[in-house]
């Protein structure tokens, strides 16, 4: 259960961010990334639509961590419930995090909510597949693939600390090539 190397680039920033708020691991899955932050003594809210995913994170925490000392919280939520028109019903409305990390998940309607929910001086760490991915495997649906320059444009009013688009070697890639096309960003909110 390896965390993304991108998080290691952000770890000092996430440790030093001047905020009382936790980090949100948005669509956390098995929690590989949030658990890495917990190991670095950073408070994390694990969020996913799947109760089973959150249960898996909890059992990993119980088997590998002193639960009492763990600063993990859990939030079962559907981030795609944005058919609601009312602002206050949007999943991230009124919430505040020192950083939001998003890995291998894309729902474009959430972008503005993500930007709003990060405290001033906080961070977004985002990594998911780009439009070049279909040659290597899933996903192939353009709704789940970042366009070239999309993250950099989205965070153009933030301080961009790291930005990458390209092909990486990935052990868990579902293509024989073992390659994945991804885009990454680490950005700081003004
Ligand atoms: C490809 S996994 C990525 C998991 C994790 N971020 C990682 O990189 O290992 C995508 C995750 O998004 C979650 N997800 C999908 N639709 C969702 C929704 N509408 N609201 C919340 N989570 C959702 C899935 O349950 C799954 O755990």
């Amino acid at each position: 259960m390896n965390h993304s190397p991108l998080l290691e680039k952000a770890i000092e920033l996430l440790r030093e961010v001047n905020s009382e708020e936790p980090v949100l691991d948005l669509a956390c899955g098995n929690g590989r990334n949030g658990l890495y932050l917990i190991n670095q003594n950073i408070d994390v809210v694990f969020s996913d639509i799947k109760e089973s995913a959150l249960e898996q994170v909890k059992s990993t925490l119980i088997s590998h961590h002193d639960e009492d000392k763990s600063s993990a919280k859990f939030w079962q939520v559907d981030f795609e419930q944005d058919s609601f028109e009312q602002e206050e019903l949007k999943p991230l409305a009124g919430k505040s995090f020192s950083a939001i990390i998003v890995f291998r998940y894309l729902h474009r309607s959430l972008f503005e909510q993500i930007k709003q929910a990060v405290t001033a001086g906080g961070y977004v760490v985002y990594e998911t597949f780009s439009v070049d991915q279909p040659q290597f495997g899933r996903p192939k649906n353009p709704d789940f693939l970042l366009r070239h320059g999309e993250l950099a444009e989205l965070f153009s009013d933030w301080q961009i600390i790291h930005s990458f688009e390209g092909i990486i070697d990935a052990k868990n890639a579902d293509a024989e090539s073992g390659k994945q096309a991804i885009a990454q960003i680490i950005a700081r909110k003004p």
Side-chain angles (χ1 to χ4, degrees):
M1 196 165 64
N2 295 331
H3 60 271
S4 165
L6 177 64
L7 264 189
E8 290 174 30
K9 288 191 196 297
I11 195 68
E12 289 307 322
L13 302 170
L14 298 182
R15 234 190 240 123
E16 288 164 15
V17 65
N18 186 19
S19 167
E20 297 294 303
E21 310 295 348
V23 173
L24 178 66
D25 186 351
L26 192 152
C28 64
N30 67 10
R32 64 190 177 107
N33 293 305
L35 287 166
Y36 170 70
L37 299 184
I38 290 281
N39 279 328
Q40 308 289 320
N41 295 317
I42 293 171
D43 296 353
V44 176
V45 176
F46 292 88
S47 63
D48 204 280
I49 194 169
K50 285 192 195 149
E51 192 64 51
S52 58
L54 299 177
E55 288 303 323
Q56 193 184 339
V57 179
K58 280 179 202 168
S59 53
T60 308
L61 272 169
I62 289 166
S63 50
H64 294 290
H65 301 261
D66 179 346
E67 220 192 346
D68 291 340
K69 285 190 191 151
S70 165
S71 46
K73 292 200 166 49
F74 300 90
W75 182 23
Q76 201 243 323
V77 56
D78 179 1
F79 284 116
E80 297 173 26
Q81 55 180 290
D82 46 21
S83 53
F84 297 113
E85 292 295 309
Q86 290 147 288
E87 190 61 30
E88 66 273 17
L89 292 178
K90 291 182 174 171
L92 289 170
K95 303 219 180 294
S96 187
F97 299 97
S98 61
I100 298 182
I101 65 170
V102 192
F103 287 84
R104 312 301 161 117
Y105 176 75
L106 181 61
H107 181 63
R108 289 185 166 85
S109 312
L110 268 185
F111 281 164
E112 283 310 316
Q113 289 184 64
I114 289 172
K115 289 182 79 174
Q116 278 180 17
V118 173
T119 53
Y123 296 92
V124 154
V125 182
Y126 210 127
E127 174 187 289
T128 197
F129 299 101
S130 78
V131 287
D132 297 322
Q133 171 63 14
Q135 62 187 302
F136 302 121
R138 292 171 299 152
K140 295 178 189 278
N141 181 339
D143 288 347
F144 305 140
L145 301 172
L146 287 164
R147 296 185 291 271
H148 290 300
E150 187 171 2
L151 284 179
E153 189 181 329
L154 178 66
F155 292 99
S156 59
D157 53 344
W158 290 29
Q159 180 192 357
I160 303 219
I161 288 152
H162 164 88
S163 178
F164 169 82
E165 284 185 11
I167 313 297
I168 60 162
D169 291 316
K171 286 189 204 113
N172 58 351
D174 63 346
E176 271 179 27
S177 67
K179 300 205 179 292
Q180 291 181 333
I182 60 158
Q184 303 175 326
I185 208 157
I186 302 171
R188 182 171 192 259
K189 187 168 175 173

